[in-house]
Amino acid sequence: MRVAFAADHGGAALKDELLVRLRAQAGPDELIDLGGDGSDPTDDYPDFAVRLGGAIQRNEADRGVLVCGSGVGASVAASKMTGIRAAVCHDTYSAHQGVEHDDLNVLCLGGRIVAIELALEIVRAYLGATFSNLPRHRRRVDKVRAIEAAERQR
Ligand code: RB5
């Protein structure tokens, strides 16, 4: 799986540490760092949401991990993008169930909320999960897509 990572200044330290730790494990996933480097304290989380969401939309990545200070702004911004299903998950159950039931494709984390060990477990739970494809879950995700399509018509 190709997994893109991006973060604003509030999330860059956690994003960088996640990449270091995940790369050290030499797992099966291709990890793509889309920045930022945290050097600009005035950078804005929507810009990183667009960068990461765009990579998924262009099929340059399969899933994303987007980090800001709380994870909230990142999830609000990324979920505005067509085909992006983003959520803040600060526990492992939500991280895997979000994929299994809701086809979550962008995991959002708060770099000021979770420390590296918990964040790693959350990311592993997220990357290890697959969409269940059960009819009731497909139906619900299809209804989410219908909301998106209706919004485009307005
Ligand atoms: C940046 O200071 C902070 O507001 C942002 O990273 C994020 O937490 C927004 O939800």
Side-chain angles (χ1 to χ4, degrees), residues 25-65:
Q25 292 173 346
D29 299 317
E30 180 190 342
L31 308 177
I32 305 158
D33 186 358
L34 297 178
D37 63 10
S39 61
D40 179 2
T42 67
D43 68 11
D44 299 323
Y45 63 81
D47 298 328
F48 295 97
V50 167
R51 193 184 291 183
L52 185 136
I56 293 173
Q57 288 176 329
R58 294 188 300 274
N59 195 28
E60 295 164 5
D62 304 300
R63 287 192 204 169
V65 175

Side-chain angles (χ1 to χ4, degrees), residues 8-11 41 43-45 67-75 110-112:
D8 76 351
H9 62 279
D43 68 11
D44 299 323
Y45 63 81
V67 193
C68 69
S70 64
V72 174
S75 63
R112 297 171 182 158

Side-chain angles (χ1 to χ4, degrees), residues 65-136:
V65 175
L66 186 59
V67 193
C68 69
S70 64
V72 174
S75 63
V76 168
S79 287
K80 298 291 181 194
M81 297 181 72
T82 301
I84 301 303
R85 293 170 296 279
V88 189
C89 300
H90 285 157
D91 65 277
T92 56
Y93 178 80
S94 303
H96 69 78
Q97 198 224 246
V99 176
E100 291 157 358
H101 291 201
D102 313 318
D103 209 8
L104 183 72
N105 57 7
V106 175
L107 170 73
C108 299
L109 294 170
R112 297 171 182 158
I113 312 295
V114 287
I116 183 63
E117 297 300 339
L118 176 56
L120 261 177
E121 291 194 12
I122 292 167
V123 170
R124 286 193 194 109
Y126 165 67
L127 296 182
T130 50
F131 182 55
S132 77
N133 231 0
L134 289 172
R136 67 178 184 280

